[in-house]
Amino acid sequence: MDGIFFSLEIVGTIAFAVSGAMAAMHKHLDIFGVLFCGIVTALGGGVIRDTLLGNLPPAMFKSYSYLITAVITGTVTFIAAKILNSKFETKAAAIDRVNNIFDAIGLGVFTVAGINLAANSGYADNAFFVIFLGMTTGCGGGIFRDICIREIPFVFSKRIYAVASLVGGCVYYIMHVYFDLNGVLAVACGIGTVFVLRLLASVFRWDLPKAY
Amino acid sequence: MDGIFFSLEIVGTIAFAVSGAMAAMHKHLDIFGVLFCGIVTALGGGVIRDTLLGNLPPAMFKSYSYLITAVITGTVTFIAAKILNSKFETKAAAIDRVNNIFDAIGLGVFTVAGINLAANSGYADNAFFVIFLGMTTGCGGGIFRDICIREIPFVFSKRIYAVASLVGGCVYYIMHVYFDLNGVLAVACGIGTVFVLRLLASVFRWDLPKAY
Amino acid sequence: MDGIFFSLEIVGTIAFAVSGAMAAMHKHLDIFGVLFCGIVTALGGGVIRDTLLGNLPPAMFKSYSYLITAVITGTVTFIAAKILNSKFETKAAAIDRVNNIFDAIGLGVFTVAGINLAANSGYADNAFFVIFLGMTTGCGGGIFRDICIREIPFVFSKRIYAVASLVGGCVYYIMHVYFDLNGVLAVACGIGTVFVLRLLASVFRWDLPKAY
C-alpha cells in the first residue's frame, strides 16, 4: 500500500514538474528558471501547506525523493526541448494532452496526501482546514508557478481543476475521518474521484460559471 | 464594546470580499476564482500577519465567522452580477463608490485589530513590528489579490491607502500602548483616523508623490 | 572580522534597496511603493529564509539596522530622482552599471550570511537546505520585487545571477562545514566567488542556455 502510494506520488511529481518546465520554456526562461518552475509546481503546494501548519522546515527539505524527481524531470524536459527544438514546440500540445492524464493522477494523490498529513497533525476535527490543505497541496504549486511566469492562475478561470480536488478531498475526508474506513478503499475513492472529475472536465471542456 | 468591534470587523470583511470578488469578475475569473479572490482580499492580510508572528495555523482556520462571511459575500456578489449581467458592469463604478466607504471602515478596523493582536502576542515594545503588522492586516489582502489577478498592487500607486493605515495605526499604538488609555477611546481614534484619511484621499484624489 | 562582514552587509542592503527603488520608480509607483520595493528587495530574501526555517518573527523585525538602511536608501534615491527628474531617467543606465558592482557584493554577502545562519540553526548536515537558503537570502528579495511590479523575475531569464549565488554558496559551505576552515578565509572565498562570477556574467553578458 505505502509502496503504491509513493509510486503514485512520484508519478504526480513528474507530471507537475513537466507542466512547470514546459510553461517556463514557453516564456523563454533559462535552464535555472525552468528547473525552478518545475520544482515550484511539483513541491510548492506542499511548502504552503507545511507553512500554514507551522510544520517548518517544510517536508521537501527533509526527504529529497520528490525534489530529485522534479530536478531530473525538469532537466530531461529541457534537454528534450533543446534537441527537438522547433519540433518540440509543435508537439507541445500533444505532450500536454498526454501529461494531462498524469497531472490528474498527481492532483488526486497530492490532495489525499495533504489531507492525510493535516489530519495526522492533530487537525482531524477541523474539516475545512484539512480539506483546504488537501486542495492547497494539489493546486498551490500551479498557482505559484503561474504567478512566477506572470499569468493569472489557470485554476481561477479554466476547467474545474480546484473543484475536482475539493470534491475528491471531501470524499476522502468523510470516508477516512468520519467513517474510519479501510485505508486503501478511502484512498482509492479519493484519488479516483479527483482523477475522473479532472479528466471529464478536460475532455468535455467543463468550465465553472463566470459572471459575464 | 467587543460586540461593536466584531460587527465592524464583519462590515470590513464584507467590503473587502466585495472588492476582491468584483476585481476577479472584471478579469473574467470563474466562480472559484471569484470566491478565492474575495477570501484572499478579506483574510489574506491576517494570514500574512499570523505567519510573520509564527502564530500557525493562522486565525482564519480557527474561527470561521470571517471566512463564512467572505464566502457568502462573494457568492452574493457573483449572483448579483450574473442576474444583472451587463447592467452590473455599467453600475460597477457606482458600487465601487458605495463600497469605498465600507472599505475605509474595514481598513481602520483591520489595522487596529492587527496592532491589538501583535501587541498582545508579546511584541508591545516593538513599535515598528506592531504597527507594520497592523498595516499588513489592513493592506496585505489587497496586495495579494492584485498579484493574483496580475495587477501592480493598487496601494503602490494610487491614493494614500497604506499611509492612512500607518498613520491611524500610530495613533492607536501611542494611545493604547504608551498612554494605556481607555480602550474604547483608543480604538475609536485609531479607526476614525484611518477612516477619515482614507475617505478624504478618495474624495480629493490625494496621491502620494511620484518620482516622474 | 564581524565589523567587516557587517559593513559588507550594509553595502549589499544599500545596493539592493537602490535596485528595488529604481525598478519601482520606473513603473511609476509612488513613494510608498518605492520604499516598499526597496525594503522587499533588500530584506525579502531574509524573510523567506526565516519563514522556511520557522525562525519567526523574521530577523528584520528584531534588529533594525538593515531596515533603516533600506528606508534611508530608498528615500535618498527617490529624492535624487525627483530633483534631477528627466536627467535621472537618462542616467538610470549609468547608475545601474555602478550599482551592479555593489549588487554583486550584496549577492555574495547575503548568500554567505544565509548559509551561516542556516548552518548555525542546526541544519549544517543538510547541505541542500543550507545552500538553498543561502541562495534564497541572496535572490529571494529580487524575485519578490519582480512579482510585485509585474515582471517575470529577472533571475529566471537573464545572466547567471542565481547560479553565481549557488556556486559561491557551495564553495563557502564546503570550506566552512566540511573542512571547518578558518572563518575569514571561507567567507572571503565564498563572497569572492559570487562576486567574480556575477560581474563576469554582467560584463560578458553570459546567459544560461534556453530551450528555444
Side-chain angles (χ1 to χ4, degrees):
Chain A
M1 173 62 194
D2 279 358
I4 296 176
F5 197 79
F6 178 72
S7 309
L8 290 176
E9 282 190 306
I10 293 296
V11 168
T13 304
I14 294 174
F16 279 32
V18 166
S19 92
M22 286 181 65
M25 293 190 299
H26 188 70
K27 291 272 179 172
H28 302 290
L29 302 197
D30 62 27
I31 175 74
F32 175 79
V34 169
L35 291 184
F36 189 93
C37 279
I39 294 170
V40 156
T41 312
L43 304 171
V47 169
I48 301 173
R49 175 201 62 211
D50 290 337
T51 303
L52 291 177
L53 276 171
N55 173 19
L56 298 166
M60 72 166 274
F61 299 111
K62 289 173 192 157
S63 74
Y64 284 117
S65 342
Y66 309 105
L67 181 75
I68 293 168
T69 305
V71 169
I72 294 176
T73 306
T75 311
V76 169
T77 312
F78 183 84
I79 292 174
K82 192 91 192 154
I83 292 174
L84 299 173
N85 210 335
S86 59
K87 243 188 265 175
F88 189 85
E89 243 177 316
T90 58
K91 282 187 181 157
I95 296 168
D96 263 349
R97 224 160 18 239
V98 175
N99 197 48
N100 227 0
I101 297 167
F102 297 110
D103 188 281
I105 297 175
L107 186 62
V109 178
F110 288 151
T111 302
V112 166
I115 289 176
N116 214 24
L117 189 102
N120 292 341
S121 301
Y123 299 103
D125 289 338
N126 192 335
F128 172 77
F129 185 44
V130 167
I131 294 168
F132 177 87
L133 287 183
M135 189 183 72
T136 300
T137 313
C139 304
I143 294 179
F144 202 174
R145 171 202 63 207
D146 290 339
I147 289 176
C148 280
I149 60 169
R150 220 180 48 176
E151 290 290 330
I152 292 185
F154 174 82
V155 302
F156 294 165
S157 58
K158 284 268 172 60
R159 308 296 169 261
I160 60 157
Y161 205 89
V163 172
S165 166
L166 266 186
V167 173
C170 289
V171 167
Y172 176 67
Y173 179 80
I174 291 169
M175 291 180 73
H176 179 62
V177 177
Y178 270 3
F179 295 115
D180 199 19
L181 277 177
N182 174 296
V184 184
L185 184 67
V187 166
C189 287
I191 297 179
T193 306
V194 177
F195 181 76
V196 169
L197 279 178
R198 167 85 175 70
L199 278 198
L200 287 177
S202 272
V203 172
F204 296 107
R205 305 186 162 269
W206 289 346
D207 286 333
L208 288 172
K210 296 185 182 185
Y212 33 72
Chain B
M1 172 63 194
D2 279 0
I4 296 175
F5 197 80
F6 179 72
S7 307
L8 290 176
E9 282 190 307
I10 292 296
V11 168
T13 304
I14 293 174
F16 279 32
V18 165
S19 94
M22 287 181 62
M25 292 190 300
H26 189 70
K27 291 273 180 173
H28 303 290
L29 302 197
D30 62 28
I31 175 74
F32 176 79
V34 168
L35 291 183
F36 188 94
C37 279
I39 294 169
V40 157
T41 312
L43 304 171
V47 169
I48 302 173
R49 175 201 63 210
D50 290 337
T51 304
L52 291 177
L53 275 170
N55 173 17
L56 297 167
M60 73 166 273
F61 299 113
K62 290 174 192 154
S63 73
Y64 283 117
S65 344
Y66 309 104
L67 181 75
I68 293 167
T69 305
V71 169
I72 293 175
T73 306
T75 311
V76 169
T77 312
F78 183 84
I79 292 173
K82 193 90 191 156
I83 292 174
L84 298 172
N85 210 335
S86 58
K87 245 188 262 176
F88 189 84
E89 243 177 315
T90 57
K91 282 186 181 157
I95 296 168
D96 264 348
R97 231 170 4 245
V98 175
N99 197 48
N100 226 1
I101 297 168
F102 298 110
D103 189 280
I105 297 174
L107 186 63
V109 178
F110 287 152
T111 302
V112 166
I115 289 176
N116 214 23
L117 189 102
N120 292 342
S121 303
Y123 298 103
D125 289 339
N126 193 336
F128 172 77
F129 187 43
V130 167
I131 293 169
F132 177 86
L133 288 184
M135 189 183 72
T136 301
T137 313
C139 305
I143 294 178
F144 202 176
R145 170 203 65 206
D146 290 340
I147 289 177
C148 280
I149 60 169
R150 218 179 53 178
E151 290 290 330
I152 292 185
F154 176 81
V155 303
F156 293 164
S157 60
K158 284 267 172 63
R159 309 296 171 259
I160 60 156
Y161 204 89
V163 172
S165 165
L166 266 186
V167 173
C170 289
V171 167
Y172 176 67
Y173 179 80
I174 291 169
M175 290 180 73
H176 178 63
V177 177
Y178 270 4
F179 295 114
D180 200 16
L181 279 178
N182 175 294
V184 184
L185 184 68
V187 166
C189 288
I191 297 178
T193 307
V194 177
F195 181 76
V196 169
L197 280 177
R198 168 86 175 70
L199 278 198
L200 288 177
S202 273
V203 171
F204 295 106
R205 303 186 165 269
W206 288 346
D207 286 333
L208 289 171
K210 296 183 182 187
Y212 35 72
Chain C
M1 173 60 195
D2 280 357
I4 297 176
F5 197 80
F6 178 73
S7 309
L8 289 176
E9 282 189 307
I10 293 295
V11 168
T13 304
I14 294 173
F16 278 33
V18 166
S19 92
M22 287 181 63
M25 292 189 300
H26 188 69
K27 292 274 180 173
H28 303 290
L29 302 197
D30 62 28
I31 175 74
F32 175 78
V34 169
L35 290 183
F36 188 93
C37 279
I39 294 169
V40 157
T41 312
L43 303 171
V47 170
I48 301 173
R49 174 202 63 211
D50 290 336
T51 303
L52 291 177
L53 275 170
N55 173 19
L56 296 167
M60 72 167 272
F61 299 111
K62 289 173 192 155
S63 74
Y64 284 117
S65 344
Y66 309 105
L67 180 74
I68 293 167
T69 305
V71 169
I72 293 174
T73 305
T75 310
V76 169
T77 312
F78 183 84
I79 292 173
K82 193 90 191 154
I83 292 173
L84 298 172
N85 209 336
S86 59
K87 243 188 261 173
F88 189 85
E89 242 178 316
T90 58
K91 281 186 182 156
I95 295 168
D96 263 349
R97 227 164 12 241
V98 175
N99 197 47
N100 225 1
I101 297 168
F102 297 110
D103 188 280
I105 297 174
L107 186 63
V109 178
F110 288 151
T111 302
V112 166
I115 289 176
N116 214 24
L117 189 101
N120 291 343
S121 303
Y123 298 104
D125 289 339
N126 193 337
F128 172 77
F129 185 44
V130 167
I131 293 168
F132 177 88
L133 287 184
M135 189 183 72
T136 300
T137 313
C139 305
I143 294 178
F144 202 176
R145 170 202 64 206
D146 289 340
I147 289 176
C148 280
I149 60 169
R150 219 179 50 177
E151 290 291 330
I152 291 184
F154 175 82
V155 303
F156 293 165
S157 59
K158 283 268 171 60
R159 309 295 170 262
I160 61 156
Y161 204 90
V163 172
S165 165
L166 265 186
V167 173
C170 289
V171 167
Y172 176 68
Y173 180 81
I174 291 169
M175 291 180 73
H176 178 63
V177 178
Y178 271 4
F179 295 115
D180 198 18
L181 279 178
N182 174 293
V184 184
L185 184 67
V187 166
C189 287
I191 297 178
T193 307
V194 177
F195 181 76
V196 169
L197 280 177
R198 168 84 175 69
L199 278 198
L200 287 177
S202 273
V203 172
F204 296 107
R205 304 187 163 267
W206 288 346
D207 287 332
L208 288 172
K210 295 184 182 187
Y212 34 73

